[in-house]
């Protein structure tokens, strides 16, 4: 049972940790990376690295295998990246070098979709794939493209005879097993050639399963993986759902198909569901795993040693909620 009389101590310790993480007065702040608005394929974006020591600092960027000098640079995504890593190194002649890394999500307005939507590919039936460019903030409905569209199958440019196209549409009179493959289209956006998000034309059902232990223990980190027969971020994306309650513990993280969890409440059960989905194709599959938490609760000191300051603050939040 939680001893509510300990909460003021935890609050004080939490505040001390926050001050330590934020930095005391006189300590040089870490550099920051910033950019205006959403990063979108086909549109130029300027990224800026800032630090209080500017203009005395020397800035160096490390980006997609390149080295760029200066506090800012501009880049136009071509649609072939879902995310990119930005690393900025700041050299202060007085205090030395510091680095910061940011992960940038890239919105791609161009996609290959089935038209009409929710049409399931079936052998010996007709099918139309649409090269669609969504207006800002809208990914629904067909759009007309003024510039010629180039179609690709499995990374190879299709010939006009193979395309059977009316510019934006790829038409199949009667689907054959040989038509299965990964399709992309390429168009011009703001004078930049942009590759679409791809579509995997397949006649096989997706297989989804969750790997990981059936029994876990308080204070011990466990890892679960959503295994799929579809290619992640190519023909499907995955998400985790918690339909019988969110996992309670001292640590929890999700990174695409990987889930890590350190439980804290023995004698309970946790249900994990992984959903693989391609919204444009109207396809999805899922798997569910029930996990039992066994053992005895850790004491506060043991939990602190295992979890560290960040996890301790998360635990504090759970204690405050349980005591409210």
């Amino acid at each position: 049972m939680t001893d509510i009389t300990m909460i003021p101590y935890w609050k004080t310790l939490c505040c001390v940790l926050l001050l330590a993480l934020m930095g005391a007065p006189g300590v040089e702040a870490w550099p920051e990376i910033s950019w205006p608005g959403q990063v979108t394929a086909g549109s130029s974006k300027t990224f800026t690295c800032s630090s209080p020591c500017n203009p005395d600092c020397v800035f160096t960027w490390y980006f997609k295998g390149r080295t760029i000098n200066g506090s800012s640079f501009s880049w136009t995504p071509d649609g072939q990246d879902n995310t990119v890593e930005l690393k900025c190194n700041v050299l202060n002649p007085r205090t030395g070098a510091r680095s910061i890394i940011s992960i940038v999500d890239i919105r791609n307005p161009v996609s290959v979709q089935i038209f009409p939507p929710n049409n399931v590919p079936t052998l010996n039936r007709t099918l139309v794939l649409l090269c669609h460019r969504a207006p800002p903030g809208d990914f629904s409905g067909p759009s007309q493209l003024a510039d010629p569209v180039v179609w690709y199958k499995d990374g190879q440019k299709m010939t006009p005879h193979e395309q059977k196209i009316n510019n934006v549409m790829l038409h199949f009179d009667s689907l054959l097993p040989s038509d299965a493959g990964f399709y992309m289209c390429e168009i011009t956006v703001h004078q930049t050639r942009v590759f679409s998000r791809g579509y995997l034309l397949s006649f096989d059902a997706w297989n989804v399963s969750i790997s990981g232990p059936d029994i876990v223990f308080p204070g011990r980190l466990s890892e679960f993986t959503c295994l799929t027969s579809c290619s992640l971020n190519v023909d499907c994306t995955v998400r985790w759902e918690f339909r019988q309650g969110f996992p309670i513990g001292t640590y929890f993280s999700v990174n695409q198909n990987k889930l890590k969890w350190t439980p804290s409440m023995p004698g309970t059960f946790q249900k994990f569901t992984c959903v693989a989905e391609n919204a444009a194709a109207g396809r999805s599959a899922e798997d569910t795993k029930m996990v039992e938490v066994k053992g005895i609760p850790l004491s506060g000191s043991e939990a602190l040693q295992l979890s560290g300051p960040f996890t301790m603050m998360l635990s504090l939040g759970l204690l405050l909620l349980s005591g409210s």
Side-chain angles (χ1 to χ4, degrees):
M1 178 178 295
T2 302
D3 186 353
I4 304 300
T5 60
M6 294 179 62
I7 291 180
Y9 165 77
W10 283 96
K11 286 182 177 179
T12 302
L13 184 57
C14 179
C15 293
V16 172
L17 284 169
L18 286 174
L19 288 173
L21 292 170
M22 292 170 62
V27 177
E28 182 187 351
W30 286 90
E32 295 182 351
I33 296 176
S34 61
W35 60 90
Q38 173 72 52
V39 179
T40 303
S43 297
S44 178
K45 188 67 65 175
T46 298
F47 302 92
T48 301
C49 187
S50 57
S51 178
C53 64
N54 197 32
D56 297 328
C57 294
V58 177
F59 295 88
T60 305
W61 294 89
Y62 301 95
F63 173 66
K64 292 175 67 71
R66 294 182 292 156
T67 301
I68 304 171
N69 297 319
S71 61
S72 64
F73 75 97
S74 296
W75 175 61
T76 302
D78 64 0
Q80 298 190 74
D81 299 293
N82 296 313
T83 61
V84 292
E85 179 182 287
L86 299 177
K87 180 179 180 181
C88 175
N89 185 78
V90 181
L91 176 61
N92 186 329
R94 294 180 294 103
T95 60
R98 285 189 172 184
S99 296
I100 185 172
I101 294 176
S102 288
I103 304 299
V104 181
D105 293 318
I106 301 171
R107 173 185 178 268
N108 192 340
V110 186
S111 62
V112 174
Q113 302 178 1
I114 286 183
F115 185 76
N118 301 322
N119 186 14
V120 178
T122 306
L123 288 172
N124 303 317
R125 299 285 298 273
T126 61
L127 181 73
V128 174
L129 296 182
L130 174 74
C131 185
H132 172 62
R133 178 188 173 189
D138 178 23
F139 280 86
S140 61
S143 62
Q144 294 298 318
L145 303 176
D147 296 313
V149 175
V150 178
W151 285 90
Y152 294 83
K153 179 184 178 183
D154 297 328
Q156 300 296 317
K157 185 183 296 186
M158 300 179 68
T159 66
H161 174 72
E162 291 176 313
Q163 292 184 24
K164 311 170 188 175
I165 60 171
N166 180 14
N167 194 27
V168 299
M169 293 185 178
L170 184 60
H171 187 271
F172 301 88
D173 294 323
S174 179
L175 281 172
L176 301 173
S178 59
D179 291 323
F182 184 67
Y183 290 86
M184 297 175 61
C185 62
E186 181 188 11
I187 67 170
T188 300
V189 178
H190 304 311
Q191 299 182 339
T192 298
R193 297 301 290 178
V194 173
F195 292 88
S196 72
R197 291 179 288 145
Y199 174 80
L200 180 65
L201 177 57
S202 173
F203 308 108
D204 300 324
W206 289 346
N207 295 317
V208 179
S209 62
I210 300 175
S211 69
D214 297 321
I215 298 175
V216 297
F217 300 91
R220 184 180 302 175
L221 181 66
S222 297
E223 181 173 316
F224 302 86
T225 304
C226 182
L227 304 173
T228 65
S229 59
C230 53
S231 301
L232 296 183
N233 299 320
V234 176
D235 55 293
C236 73
T237 58
V238 299
R239 70 175 187 275
W240 293 88
E241 295 185 354
F242 314 102
R243 297 169 181 172
Q244 294 183 353
F246 194 82
I248 300 299
T250 57
Y251 180 81
F252 178 82
S253 72
V254 169
N255 183 10
Q256 293 191 353
N257 66 327
K258 300 284 186 181
L259 185 152
K260 295 181 180 181
W261 177 44
T262 302
S264 61
M265 297 182 63
T268 59
F269 290 84
Q270 178 62 49
K271 183 177 181 181
F272 295 122
T273 300
C274 176
V275 180
E277 182 180 38
N278 186 321
R283 299 185 63 185
S284 66
E286 66 179 52
D287 185 46
T288 297
K289 186 179 186 67
M290 187 68 74
V291 179
E292 181 181 4
V293 184
K294 282 189 175 183
I296 59 175
L298 292 175
S299 68
S301 61
E302 290 173 323
L304 179 59
Q305 291 172 3
L306 285 169
S307 58
F310 288 101
T311 306
M312 186 193 64
M313 285 188 281
L314 174 62
S315 302
L316 173 61
L318 296 174
L319 286 171
L320 293 174
L321 288 174
S322 64
S324 58

